[in-house]
Amino acid sequence: MKQFFTPLWLLTVLTGCLFAAYSAFQVFVILRDIRAISPEGIVIRSLVGLMFAILAIYMWTAGVKGKKHILFMIVRRTSFIIAMLVIIALKLRPVIQVINYMDYTRFDTVLYGVSYFLMLSALMILFVYYVFILNRLPFFPRAGVILPRTAIVLFLLSLIAEQILFYVYGIGLEANAIRSMVMQPVFYLGFIGLSLHFLYPVLITKKPKKKDTADAPSE
């Protein structure tokens, strides 16, 4: 029972719940507006829902470790990588439209673009950290702290920018107020929680020795 009800355990469970809520919202939108959504929109939302469901399962199974579960850990790691790649790819789809939308004489359009690229950068940083750094923390002790912290800051800045766009300029109000008011913060808080999940074991170690990184999430 040691691993339960610790700060890291609570963070992991809550982050999984945020991802699950975002996944469920995609299903809800499909069922609610199925006649109005194009087939492409249904496929994209279904894919987003599936990927965030994978992230939720990834978080909830963080405590499954050991040689007896090696196959499950491989599948879990691979699923996470695929989910992150798909999410990043979907977020990259509107990059040209975002660039074209930005009018440098209007603060709101510039802020919209800045928010988008901050979020995209944070996702890519998390992906690079997970694939190349997390299991090699003794070799990259500084990156083990700097990259998750950078991702957290970028996610926070992007979230603040989006909320300014919504509450000050009304962008997103007519399209989908629930998404702008509730689900976008859920999206950002989920990834902030994921960043903290990666960062937490590094923060509680005094020195980046090999034995001190044994408690790091073994992904």
Side-chain angles (χ1 to χ4, degrees):
M1 293 291 292
K2 270 185 175 181
Q3 61 178 332
F4 296 107
F5 302 107
T6 63
L8 180 59
W9 181 85
L10 291 171
L11 172 67
T12 302
V13 171
L14 289 174
T15 301
C17 290
L18 291 170
F19 286 140
Y22 196 82
S23 174
F25 177 72
Q26 307 304 316
V27 178
F28 167 74
V29 171
I30 292 172
L31 295 176
R32 185 191 63 182
D33 303 329
I34 191 166
R35 293 182 180 179
I37 303 177
S38 65
E40 181 185 3
I42 292 175
V43 171
I44 291 174
R45 284 196 176 275
S46 300
L47 198 56
V48 171
L50 177 60
M51 295 305 105
F52 275 87
I54 290 174
L55 293 184
I57 295 171
Y58 172 86
M59 295 303 298
W60 289 334
T61 56
V64 180
K65 301 176 183 177
K67 294 182 179 179
K68 294 190 297 184
H69 306 288
I70 188 67
L71 180 59
F72 175 80
M73 291 168 65
I74 292 172
V75 172
R76 178 173 175 266
R77 174 180 170 82
T78 304
S79 300
F80 179 87
I81 292 173
I82 292 172
M84 287 296 293
L85 280 174
V86 171
I87 291 170
I88 291 171
L90 290 173
K91 290 296 182 182
L92 279 169
R93 288 176 69 250
V95 64
I96 301 300
Q97 291 92 320
V98 172
I99 293 173
N100 292 334
Y101 175 74
M102 292 174 68
D103 179 355
Y104 295 100
T105 63
R106 292 178 54 192
F107 178 74
D108 57 335
T109 64
V110 173
L111 188 61
Y112 182 88
V114 169
S115 173
Y116 170 79
F117 285 109
L118 286 174
M119 175 269 299
L120 194 58
S121 300
L123 287 174
M124 290 180 175
I125 287 172
L126 267 190
F127 179 77
V128 169
Y129 175 80
Y130 182 82
V131 174
F132 300 107
I133 305 297
L134 184 59
N135 285 340
R136 302 174 181 86
L137 287 177
F139 303 103
F140 306 102
R142 293 188 65 185
V145 175
I146 293 171
L147 291 183
R149 282 181 173 175
T150 302
I152 291 170
V153 171
L154 293 179
F155 280 127
L156 282 173
L157 290 175
S158 184
L159 173 59
I160 292 169
E162 283 206 7
Q163 296 308 298
I164 291 173
L165 288 169
F166 179 74
Y167 288 104
V168 178
Y169 294 98
I171 295 177
L173 181 61
E174 296 179 0
N176 196 326
I178 295 177
R179 178 182 178 277
S180 299
M181 290 178 63
V182 180
M183 298 318 299
Q184 280 303 96
V186 166
F187 171 91
Y188 285 106
L189 290 175
F191 279 108
I192 289 171
L194 179 62
S195 304
L196 288 170
H197 170 75
F198 292 152
L199 180 62
Y200 183 84
V202 181
L203 292 179
I204 62 174
T205 56
K206 294 182 180 179
K207 296 181 180 180
K209 294 181 181 179
K210 187 173 182 180
K211 64 178 182 179
D212 292 334
T213 56
D215 293 332
S218 180
E219 310 303 348

mmCIF file with all atom_site columns, all heavy atoms in Angstrom, residues 164-188:
data_model
loop_
_atom_site.group_PDB
_atom_site.id
_atom_site.type_symbol
_atom_site.label_atom_id
_atom_site.label_alt_id
_atom_site.label_comp_id
_atom_site.label_asym_id
_atom_site.label_entity_id
_atom_site.label_seq_id
_atom_site.pdbx_PDB_ins_code
_atom_site.Cartn_x
_atom_site.Cartn_y
_atom_site.Cartn_z
_atom_site.occupancy
_atom_site.B_iso_or_equiv
_atom_site.pdbx_formal_charge
_atom_site.auth_seq_id
_atom_site.auth_comp_id
_atom_site.auth_asym_id
_atom_site.auth_atom_id
_atom_site.pdbx_PDB_model_num
ATOM 1   N N   . ILE A 1 164 ? -7.519  34.275 -22.422 1.00 0.00 ? 164 ILE A N   1
ATOM 2   C CA  . ILE A 1 164 ? -7.624  35.700 -22.776 1.00 0.00 ? 164 ILE A CA  1
ATOM 3   C C   . ILE A 1 164 ? -8.411  35.858 -24.072 1.00 0.00 ? 164 ILE A C   1
ATOM 4   O O   . ILE A 1 164 ? -9.301  36.714 -24.184 1.00 0.00 ? 164 ILE A O   1
ATOM 5   C CB  . ILE A 1 164 ? -6.230  36.333 -22.915 1.00 0.00 ? 164 ILE A CB  1
ATOM 6   C CG1 . ILE A 1 164 ? -5.541  36.412 -21.548 1.00 0.00 ? 164 ILE A CG1 1
ATOM 7   C CG2 . ILE A 1 164 ? -6.319  37.735 -23.539 1.00 0.00 ? 164 ILE A CG2 1
ATOM 8   C CD1 . ILE A 1 164 ? -4.095  36.878 -21.612 1.00 0.00 ? 164 ILE A CD1 1
ATOM 9   N N   . LEU A 1 165 ? -8.108  34.991 -25.046 1.00 0.00 ? 165 LEU A N   1
ATOM 10  C CA  . LEU A 1 165 ? -8.823  35.038 -26.330 1.00 0.00 ? 165 LEU A CA  1
ATOM 11  C C   . LEU A 1 165 ? -10.309 34.791 -26.132 1.00 0.00 ? 165 LEU A C   1
ATOM 12  O O   . LEU A 1 165 ? -11.149 35.426 -26.781 1.00 0.00 ? 165 LEU A O   1
ATOM 13  C CB  . LEU A 1 165 ? -8.240  33.994 -27.291 1.00 0.00 ? 165 LEU A CB  1
ATOM 14  C CG  . LEU A 1 165 ? -6.859  34.302 -27.862 1.00 0.00 ? 165 LEU A CG  1
ATOM 15  C CD1 . LEU A 1 165 ? -6.289  33.091 -28.581 1.00 0.00 ? 165 LEU A CD1 1
ATOM 16  C CD2 . LEU A 1 165 ? -6.934  35.490 -28.829 1.00 0.00 ? 165 LEU A CD2 1
ATOM 17  N N   . PHE A 1 166 ? -10.639 33.884 -25.224 1.00 0.00 ? 166 PHE A N   1
ATOM 18  C CA  . PHE A 1 166 ? -12.048 33.545 -25.015 1.00 0.00 ? 166 PHE A CA  1
ATOM 19  C C   . PHE A 1 166 ? -12.777 34.626 -24.224 1.00 0.00 ? 166 PHE A C   1
ATOM 20  O O   . PHE A 1 166 ? -13.834 35.108 -24.643 1.00 0.00 ? 166 PHE A O   1
ATOM 21  C CB  . PHE A 1 166 ? -12.155 32.203 -24.289 1.00 0.00 ? 166 PHE A CB  1
ATOM 22  C CG  . PHE A 1 166 ? -13.578 31.793 -24.004 1.00 0.00 ? 166 PHE A CG  1
ATOM 23  C CD1 . PHE A 1 166 ? -14.397 31.337 -25.012 1.00 0.00 ? 166 PHE A CD1 1
ATOM 24  C CD2 . PHE A 1 166 ? -14.089 31.891 -22.718 1.00 0.00 ? 166 PHE A CD2 1
ATOM 25  C CE1 . PHE A 1 166 ? -15.703 30.975 -24.755 1.00 0.00 ? 166 PHE A CE1 1
ATOM 26  C CE2 . PHE A 1 166 ? -15.392 31.528 -22.446 1.00 0.00 ? 166 PHE A CE2 1
ATOM 27  C CZ  . PHE A 1 166 ? -16.211 31.060 -23.461 1.00 0.00 ? 166 PHE A CZ  1
ATOM 28  N N   . TYR A 1 167 ? -12.214 35.015 -23.080 1.00 0.00 ? 167 TYR A N   1
ATOM 29  C CA  . TYR A 1 167 ? -12.926 35.924 -22.187 1.00 0.00 ? 167 TYR A CA  1
ATOM 30  C C   . TYR A 1 167 ? -12.826 37.390 -22.602 1.00 0.00 ? 167 TYR A C   1
ATOM 31  O O   . TYR A 1 167 ? -13.717 38.185 -22.288 1.00 0.00 ? 167 TYR A O   1
ATOM 32  C CB  . TYR A 1 167 ? -12.421 35.748 -20.747 1.00 0.00 ? 167 TYR A CB  1
ATOM 33  C CG  . TYR A 1 167 ? -12.874 34.462 -20.116 1.00 0.00 ? 167 TYR A CG  1
ATOM 34  C CD1 . TYR A 1 167 ? -11.996 33.381 -19.975 1.00 0.00 ? 167 TYR A CD1 1
ATOM 35  C CD2 . TYR A 1 167 ? -14.186 34.296 -19.682 1.00 0.00 ? 167 TYR A CD2 1
ATOM 36  C CE1 . TYR A 1 167 ? -12.416 32.187 -19.405 1.00 0.00 ? 167 TYR A CE1 1
ATOM 37  C CE2 . TYR A 1 167 ? -14.612 33.111 -19.107 1.00 0.00 ? 167 TYR A CE2 1
ATOM 38  C CZ  . TYR A 1 167 ? -13.727 32.063 -18.977 1.00 0.00 ? 167 TYR A CZ  1
ATOM 39  O OH  . TYR A 1 167 ? -14.141 30.881 -18.418 1.00 0.00 ? 167 TYR A OH  1
ATOM 40  N N   . VAL A 1 168 ? -11.753 37.761 -23.284 1.00 0.00 ? 168 VAL A N   1
ATOM 41  C CA  . VAL A 1 168 ? -11.580 39.156 -23.685 1.00 0.00 ? 168 VAL A CA  1
ATOM 42  C C   . VAL A 1 168 ? -12.074 39.411 -25.106 1.00 0.00 ? 168 VAL A C   1
ATOM 43  O O   . VAL A 1 168 ? -12.799 40.370 -25.371 1.00 0.00 ? 168 VAL A O   1
ATOM 44  C CB  . VAL A 1 168 ? -10.101 39.586 -23.560 1.00 0.00 ? 168 VAL A CB  1
ATOM 45  C CG1 . VAL A 1 168 ? -9.923  41.032 -24.036 1.00 0.00 ? 168 VAL A CG1 1
ATOM 46  C CG2 . VAL A 1 168 ? -9.631  39.441 -22.112 1.00 0.00 ? 168 VAL A CG2 1
ATOM 47  N N   . TYR A 1 169 ? -11.700 38.509 -26.012 1.00 0.00 ? 169 TYR A N   1
ATOM 48  C CA  . TYR A 1 169 ? -12.036 38.722 -27.428 1.00 0.00 ? 169 TYR A CA  1
ATOM 49  C C   . TYR A 1 169 ? -13.212 37.864 -27.900 1.00 0.00 ? 169 TYR A C   1
ATOM 50  O O   . TYR A 1 169 ? -13.704 38.049 -29.021 1.00 0.00 ? 169 TYR A O   1
ATOM 51  C CB  . TYR A 1 169 ? -10.809 38.428 -28.306 1.00 0.00 ? 169 TYR A CB  1
ATOM 52  C CG  . TYR A 1 169 ? -9.689  39.396 -28.084 1.00 0.00 ? 169 TYR A CG  1
ATOM 53  C CD1 . TYR A 1 169 ? -8.625  39.088 -27.236 1.00 0.00 ? 169 TYR A CD1 1
ATOM 54  C CD2 . TYR A 1 169 ? -9.670  40.642 -28.709 1.00 0.00 ? 169 TYR A CD2 1
ATOM 55  C CE1 . TYR A 1 169 ? -7.584  39.972 -27.017 1.00 0.00 ? 169 TYR A CE1 1
ATOM 56  C CE2 . TYR A 1 169 ? -8.635  41.541 -28.502 1.00 0.00 ? 169 TYR A CE2 1
ATOM 57  C CZ  . TYR A 1 169 ? -7.603  41.193 -27.662 1.00 0.00 ? 169 TYR A CZ  1
ATOM 58  O OH  . TYR A 1 169 ? -6.567  42.078 -27.450 1.00 0.00 ? 169 TYR A OH  1
ATOM 59  N N   . GLY A 1 170 ? -13.668 36.946 -27.079 1.00 0.00 ? 170 GLY A N   1
ATOM 60  C CA  . GLY A 1 170 ? -14.823 36.127 -27.448 1.00 0.00 ? 170 GLY A CA  1
ATOM 61  C C   . GLY A 1 170 ? -14.538 35.070 -28.492 1.00 0.00 ? 170 GLY A C   1
ATOM 62  O O   . GLY A 1 170 ? -15.471 34.485 -29.054 1.00 0.00 ? 170 GLY A O   1
ATOM 63  N N   . ILE A 1 171 ? -13.276 34.796 -28.774 1.00 0.00 ? 171 ILE A N   1
ATOM 64  C CA  . ILE A 1 171 ? -12.936 33.764 -29.766 1.00 0.00 ? 171 ILE A CA  1
ATOM 65  C C   . ILE A 1 171 ? -13.222 32.392 -29.180 1.00 0.00 ? 171 ILE A C   1
ATOM 66  O O   . ILE A 1 171 ? -12.695 32.009 -28.139 1.00 0.00 ? 171 ILE A O   1
ATOM 67  C CB  . ILE A 1 171 ? -11.450 33.878 -30.173 1.00 0.00 ? 171 ILE A CB  1
ATOM 68  C CG1 . ILE A 1 171 ? -11.210 35.210 -30.886 1.00 0.00 ? 171 ILE A CG1 1
ATOM 69  C CG2 . ILE A 1 171 ? -11.030 32.710 -31.051 1.00 0.00 ? 171 ILE A CG2 1
ATOM 70  C CD1 . ILE A 1 171 ? -9.772  35.458 -31.267 1.00 0.00 ? 171 ILE A CD1 1
ATOM 71  N N   . GLY A 1 172 ? -14.075 31.643 -29.851 1.00 0.00 ? 172 GLY A N   1
ATOM 72  C CA  . GLY A 1 172 ? -14.483 30.335 -29.378 1.00 0.00 ? 172 GLY A CA  1
ATOM 73  C C   . GLY A 1 172 ? -15.827 30.330 -28.694 1.00 0.00 ? 172 GLY A C   1
ATOM 74  O O   . GLY A 1 172 ? -16.388 29.272 -28.421 1.00 0.00 ? 172 GLY A O   1
ATOM 75  N N   . LEU A 1 173 ? -16.383 31.513 -28.442 1.00 0.00 ? 173 LEU A N   1
ATOM 76  C CA  . LEU A 1 173 ? -17.662 31.614 -27.736 1.00 0.00 ? 173 LEU A CA  1
ATOM 77  C C   . LEU A 1 173 ? -18.810 31.053 -28.559 1.00 0.00 ? 173 LEU A C   1
ATOM 78  O O   . LEU A 1 173 ? -19.621 30.268 -28.080 1.00 0.00 ? 173 LEU A O   1
ATOM 79  C CB  . LEU A 1 173 ? -17.943 33.071 -27.364 1.00 0.00 ? 173 LEU A CB  1
ATOM 80  C CG  . LEU A 1 173 ? -19.239 33.347 -26.597 1.00 0.00 ? 173 LEU A CG  1
ATOM 81  C CD1 . LEU A 1 173 ? -19.226 32.611 -25.267 1.00 0.00 ? 173 LEU A CD1 1
ATOM 82  C CD2 . LEU A 1 173 ? -19.429 34.839 -26.378 1.00 0.00 ? 173 LEU A CD2 1
ATOM 83  N N   . GLU A 1 174 ? -18.879 31.444 -29.835 1.00 0.00 ? 174 GLU A N   1
ATOM 84  C CA  . GLU A 1 174 ? -19.977 30.998 -30.683 1.00 0.00 ? 174 GLU A CA  1
ATOM 85  C C   . GLU A 1 174 ? -19.777 29.574 -31.172 1.00 0.00 ? 174 GLU A C   1
ATOM 86  O O   . GLU A 1 174 ? -20.723 28.810 -31.315 1.00 0.00 ? 174 GLU A O   1
ATOM 87  C CB  . GLU A 1 174 ? -20.126 31.946 -31.869 1.00 0.00 ? 174 GLU A CB  1
ATOM 88  C CG  . GLU A 1 174 ? -20.517 33.358 -31.482 1.00 0.00 ? 174 GLU A CG  1
ATOM 89  C CD  . GLU A 1 174 ? -20.622 34.276 -32.691 1.00 0.00 ? 174 GLU A CD  1
ATOM 90  O OE1 . GLU A 1 174 ? -20.394 33.790 -33.812 1.00 0.00 ? 174 GLU A OE1 1
ATOM 91  O OE2 . GLU A 1 174 ? -20.929 35.462 -32.489 1.00 0.00 ? 174 GLU A OE2 1
ATOM 92  N N   . ALA A 1 175 ? -18.522 29.198 -31.438 1.00 0.00 ? 175 ALA A N   1
ATOM 93  C CA  . ALA A 1 175 ? -18.252 27.875 -31.990 1.00 0.00 ? 175 ALA A CA  1
ATOM 94  C C   . ALA A 1 175 ? -18.571 26.774 -30.974 1.00 0.00 ? 175 ALA A C   1
ATOM 95  O O   . ALA A 1 175 ? -19.347 25.864 -31.250 1.00 0.00 ? 175 ALA A O   1
ATOM 96  C CB  . ALA A 1 175 ? -16.787 27.780 -32.427 1.00 0.00 ? 175 ALA A CB  1
ATOM 97  N N   . ASN A 1 176 ? -17.978 26.848 -29.794 1.00 0.00 ? 176 ASN A N   1
ATOM 98  C CA  . ASN A 1 176 ? -18.204 25.821 -28.778 1.00 0.00 ? 176 ASN A CA  1
ATOM 99  C C   . ASN A 1 176 ? -17.728 26.353 -27.438 1.00 0.00 ? 176 ASN A C   1
ATOM 100 O O   . ASN A 1 176 ? -16.554 26.231 -27.088 1.00 0.00 ? 176 ASN A O   1
ATOM 101 C CB  . ASN A 1 176 ? -17.454 24.537 -29.144 1.00 0.00 ? 176 ASN A CB  1
ATOM 102 C CG  . ASN A 1 176 ? -17.958 23.350 -28.344 1.00 0.00 ? 176 ASN A CG  1
ATOM 103 O OD1 . ASN A 1 176 ? -18.343 23.487 -27.195 1.00 0.00 ? 176 ASN A OD1 1
ATOM 104 N ND2 . ASN A 1 176 ? -17.965 22.181 -28.969 1.00 0.00 ? 176 ASN A ND2 1
ATOM 105 N N   . ALA A 1 177 ? -18.651 26.942 -26.697 1.00 0.00 ? 177 ALA A N   1
ATOM 106 C CA  . ALA A 1 177 ? -18.293 27.568 -25.419 1.00 0.00 ? 177 ALA A CA  1
ATOM 107 C C   . ALA A 1 177 ? -17.817 26.547 -24.399 1.00 0.00 ? 177 ALA A C   1
ATOM 108 O O   . ALA A 1 177 ? -16.889 26.812 -23.626 1.00 0.00 ? 177 ALA A O   1
ATOM 109 C CB  . ALA A 1 177 ? -19.491 28.341 -24.876 1.00 0.00 ? 177 ALA A CB  1
ATOM 110 N N   . ILE A 1 178 ? -18.448 25.356 -24.382 1.00 0.00 ? 178 ILE A N   1
ATOM 111 C CA  . ILE A 1 178 ? -18.051 24.326 -23.420 1.00 0.00 ? 178 ILE A CA  1
ATOM 112 C C   . ILE A 1 178 ? -16.607 23.903 -23.666 1.00 0.00 ? 178 ILE A C   1
ATOM 113 O O   . ILE A 1 178 ? -15.827 23.732 -22.735 1.00 0.00 ? 178 ILE A O   1
ATOM 114 C CB  . ILE A 1 178 ? -18.985 23.101 -23.519 1.00 0.00 ? 178 ILE A CB  1
ATOM 115 C CG1 . ILE A 1 178 ? -20.393 23.483 -23.094 1.00 0.00 ? 178 ILE A CG1 1
ATOM 116 C CG2 . ILE A 1 178 ? -18.464 21.954 -22.652 1.00 0.00 ? 178 ILE A CG2 1
ATOM 117 C CD1 . ILE A 1 178 ? -21.399 22.367 -23.223 1.00 0.00 ? 178 ILE A CD1 1
ATOM 118 N N   . ARG A 1 179 ? -16.260 23.748 -24.940 1.00 0.00 ? 179 ARG A N   1
ATOM 119 C CA  . ARG A 1 179 ? -14.888 23.361 -25.276 1.00 0.00 ? 179 ARG A CA  1
ATOM 120 C C   . ARG A 1 179 ? -13.899 24.418 -24.801 1.00 0.00 ? 179 ARG A C   1
ATOM 121 O O   . ARG A 1 179 ? -12.864 24.095 -24.210 1.00 0.00 ? 179 ARG A O   1
ATOM 122 C CB  . ARG A 1 179 ? -14.749 23.160 -26.789 1.00 0.00 ? 179 ARG A CB  1
ATOM 123 C CG  . ARG A 1 179 ? -13.343 22.806 -27.242 1.00 0.00 ? 179 ARG A CG  1
ATOM 124 C CD  . ARG A 1 179 ? -13.274 22.658 -28.754 1.00 0.00 ? 179 ARG A CD  1
ATOM 125 N NE  . ARG A 1 179 ? -11.921 22.364 -29.194 1.00 0.00 ? 179 ARG A NE  1
ATOM 126 C CZ  . ARG A 1 179 ? -10.978 23.265 -29.385 1.00 0.00 ? 179 ARG A CZ  1
ATOM 127 N NH1 . ARG A 1 179 ? -11.245 24.554 -29.180 1.00 0.00 ? 179 ARG A NH1 1
ATOM 128 N NH2 . ARG A 1 179 ? -9.771  22.907 -29.794 1.00 0.00 ? 179 ARG A NH2 1
ATOM 129 N N   . SER A 1 180 ? -14.203 25.695 -25.044 1.00 0.00 ? 180 SER A N   1
ATOM 130 C CA  . SER A 1 180 ? -13.279 26.767 -24.680 1.00 0.00 ? 180 SER A CA  1
ATOM 131 C C   . SER A 1 180 ? -13.197 26.967 -23.171 1.00 0.00 ? 180 SER A C   1
ATOM 132 O O   . SER A 1 180 ? -12.115 27.210 -22.624 1.00 0.00 ? 180 SER A O   1
ATOM 133 C CB  . SER A 1 180 ? -13.702 28.074 -25.357 1.00 0.00 ? 180 SER A CB  1
ATOM 134 O OG  . SER A 1 180 ? -13.680 27.945 -26.757 1.00 0.00 ? 180 SER A OG  1
ATOM 135 N N   . MET A 1 181 ? -14.337 26.878 -22.489 1.00 0.00 ? 181 MET A N   1
ATOM 136 C CA  . MET A 1 181 ? -14.375 27.153 -21.059 1.00 0.00 ? 181 MET A CA  1
ATOM 137 C C   . MET A 1 181 ? -13.900 25.983 -20.210 1.00 0.00 ? 181 MET A C   1
ATOM 138 O O   . MET A 1 181 ? -13.270 26.180 -19.167 1.00 0.00 ? 181 MET A O   1
ATOM 139 C CB  . MET A 1 181 ? -15.806 27.517 -20.637 1.00 0.00 ? 181 MET A CB  1
ATOM 140 C CG  . MET A 1 181 ? -16.293 28.855 -21.154 1.00 0.00 ? 181 MET A CG  1
ATOM 141 S SD  . MET A 1 181 ? -18.007 29.175 -20.657 1.00 0.00 ? 181 MET A SD  1
ATOM 142 C CE  . MET A 1 181 ? -17.854 29.223 -18.883 1.00 0.00 ? 181 MET A CE  1
ATOM 143 N N   . VAL A 1 182 ? -14.216 24.757 -20.645 1.00 0.00 ? 182 VAL A N   1
ATOM 144 C CA  . VAL A 1 182 ? -13.969 23.583 -19.793 1.00 0.00 ? 182 VAL A CA  1
ATOM 145 C C   . VAL A 1 182 ? -12.928 22.639 -20.382 1.00 0.00 ? 182 VAL A C   1
ATOM 146 O O   . VAL A 1 182 ? -11.927 22.321 -19.745 1.00 0.00 ? 182 VAL A O   1
ATOM 147 C CB  . VAL A 1 182 ? -15.284 22.810 -19.540 1.00 0.00 ? 182 VAL A CB  1
ATOM 148 C CG1 . VAL A 1 182 ? -15.023 21.590 -18.643 1.00 0.00 ? 182 VAL A CG1 1
ATOM 149 C CG2 . VAL A 1 182 ? -16.328 23.717 -18.927 1.00 0.00 ? 182 VAL A CG2 1
ATOM 150 N N   . MET A 1 183 ? -13.178 22.186 -21.627 1.00 0.00 ? 183 MET A N   1
ATOM 151 C CA  . MET A 1 183 ? -12.361 21.101 -22.156 1.00 0.00 ? 183 MET A CA  1
ATOM 152 C C   . MET A 1 183 ? -10.948 21.524 -22.532 1.00 0.00 ? 183 MET A C   1
ATOM 153 O O   . MET A 1 183 ? -10.011 20.732 -22.413 1.00 0.00 ? 183 MET A O   1
ATOM 154 C CB  . MET A 1 183 ? -13.064 20.456 -23.351 1.00 0.00 ? 183 MET A CB  1
ATOM 155 C CG  . MET A 1 183 ? -14.404 19.832 -23.004 1.00 0.00 ? 183 MET A CG  1
ATOM 156 S SD  . MET A 1 183 ? -14.433 18.912 -21.431 1.00 0.00 ? 183 MET A SD  1
ATOM 157 C CE  . MET A 1 183 ? -13.224 17.638 -21.696 1.00 0.00 ? 183 MET A CE  1
ATOM 158 N N   . GLN A 1 184 ? -10.768 22.752 -22.998 1.00 0.00 ? 184 GLN A N   1
ATOM 159 C CA  . GLN A 1 184 ? -9.403  23.190 -23.282 1.00 0.00 ? 184 GLN A CA  1
ATOM 160 C C   . GLN A 1 184 ? -8.546  23.265 -22.024 1.00 0.00 ? 184 GLN A C   1
ATOM 161 O O   . GLN A 1 184 ? -7.404  22.808 -22.027 1.00 0.00 ? 184 GLN A O   1
ATOM 162 C CB  . GLN A 1 184 ? -9.411  24.533 -24.024 1.00 0.00 ? 184 GLN A CB  1
ATOM 163 C CG  . GLN A 1 184 ? -9.684  24.400 -25.519 1.00 0.00 ? 184 GLN A CG  1
ATOM 164 C CD  . GLN A 1 184 ? -8.687  23.490 -26.221 1.00 0.00 ? 184 GLN A CD  1
ATOM 165 O OE1 . GLN A 1 184 ? -8.945  22.308 -26.417 1.00 0.00 ? 184 GLN A OE1 1
ATOM 166 N NE2 . GLN A 1 184 ? -7.551  24.035 -26.600 1.00 0.00 ? 184 GLN A NE2 1
ATOM 167 N N   . PRO A 1 185 ? -9.071  23.834 -20.911 1.00 0.00 ? 185 PRO A N   1
ATOM 168 C CA  . PRO A 1 185 ? -8.299  23.745 -19.665 1.00 0.00 ? 185 PRO A CA  1
ATOM 169 C C   . PRO A 1 185 ? -8.025  22.304 -19.242 1.00 0.00 ? 185 PRO A C   1
ATOM 170 O O   . PRO A 1 185 ? -6.940  22.012 -18.730 1.00 0.00 ? 185 PRO A O   1
ATOM 171 C CB  . PRO A 1 185 ? -9.197  24.467 -18.650 1.00 0.00 ? 185 PRO A CB  1
ATOM 172 C CG  . PRO A 1 185 ? -9.947  25.461 -19.478 1.00 0.00 ? 185 PRO A CG  1
ATOM 173 C CD  . PRO A 1 185 ? -10.224 24.753 -20.776 1.00 0.00 ? 185 PRO A CD  1
ATOM 174 N N   . VAL A 1 186 ? -8.989  21.405 -19.460 1.00 0.00 ? 186 VAL A N   1
ATOM 175 C CA  . VAL A 1 186 ? -8.776  19.991 -19.141 1.00 0.00 ? 186 VAL A CA  1
ATOM 176 C C   . VAL A 1 186 ? -7.627  19.426 -19.976 1.00 0.00 ? 186 VAL A C   1
ATOM 177 O O   . VAL A 1 186 ? -6.770  18.698 -19.477 1.00 0.00 ? 186 VAL A O   1
ATOM 178 C CB  . VAL A 1 186 ? -10.072 19.181 -19.389 1.00 0.00 ? 186 VAL A CB  1
ATOM 179 C CG1 . VAL A 1 186 ? -9.787  17.676 -19.392 1.00 0.00 ? 186 VAL A CG1 1
ATOM 180 C CG2 . VAL A 1 186 ? -11.109 19.499 -18.316 1.00 0.00 ? 186 VAL A CG2 1
ATOM 181 N N   . PHE A 1 187 ? -7.601  19.779 -21.264 1.00 0.00 ? 187 PHE A N   1
ATOM 182 C CA  . PHE A 1 187 ? -6.523  19.352 -22.154 1.00 0.00 ? 187 PHE A CA  1
ATOM 183 C C   . PHE A 1 187 ? -5.168  19.799 -21.616 1.00 0.00 ? 187 PHE A C   1
ATOM 184 O O   . PHE A 1 187 ? -4.230  18.994 -21.476 1.00 0.00 ? 187 PHE A O   1
ATOM 185 C CB  . PHE A 1 187 ? -6.770  19.943 -23.548 1.00 0.00 ? 187 PHE A CB  1
ATOM 186 C CG  . PHE A 1 187 ? -5.636  19.777 -24.518 1.00 0.00 ? 187 PHE A CG  1
ATOM 187 C CD1 . PHE A 1 187 ? -5.571  18.663 -25.339 1.00 0.00 ? 187 PHE A CD1 1
ATOM 188 C CD2 . PHE A 1 187 ? -4.637  20.737 -24.623 1.00 0.00 ? 187 PHE A CD2 1
ATOM 189 C CE1 . PHE A 1 187 ? -4.526  18.496 -26.245 1.00 0.00 ? 187 PHE A CE1 1
ATOM 190 C CE2 . PHE A 1 187 ? -3.586  20.590 -25.524 1.00 0.00 ? 187 PHE A CE2 1
ATOM 191 C CZ  . PHE A 1 187 ? -3.531  19.462 -26.334 1.00 0.00 ? 187 PHE A CZ  1
ATOM 192 N N   . TYR A 1 188 ? -5.050  21.074 -21.290 1.00 0.00 ? 188 TYR A N   1
ATOM 193 C CA  . TYR A 1 188 ? -3.774  21.612 -20.824 1.00 0.00 ? 188 TYR A CA  1
ATOM 194 C C   . TYR A 1 188 ? -3.391  21.066 -19.453 1.00 0.00 ? 188 TYR A C   1
ATOM 195 O O   . TYR A 1 188 ? -2.228  20.713 -19.215 1.00 0.00 ? 188 TYR A O   1
ATOM 196 C CB  . TYR A 1 188 ? -3.829  23.136 -20.791 1.00 0.00 ? 188 TYR A CB  1
ATOM 197 C CG  . TYR A 1 188 ? -3.742  23.763 -22.155 1.00 0.00 ? 188 TYR A CG  1
ATOM 198 C CD1 . TYR A 1 188 ? -4.866  24.315 -22.765 1.00 0.00 ? 188 TYR A CD1 1
ATOM 199 C CD2 . TYR A 1 188 ? -2.541  23.792 -22.846 1.00 0.00 ? 188 TYR A CD2 1
ATOM 200 C CE1 . TYR A 1 188 ? -4.796  24.891 -24.021 1.00 0.00 ? 188 TYR A CE1 1
ATOM 201 C CE2 . TYR A 1 188 ? -2.454  24.369 -24.103 1.00 0.00 ? 188 TYR A CE2 1
ATOM 202 C CZ  . TYR A 1 188 ? -3.592  24.913 -24.688 1.00 0.00 ? 188 TYR A CZ  1
ATOM 203 O OH  . TYR A 1 188 ? -3.509  25.469 -25.942 1.00 0.00 ? 188 TYR A OH  1
#
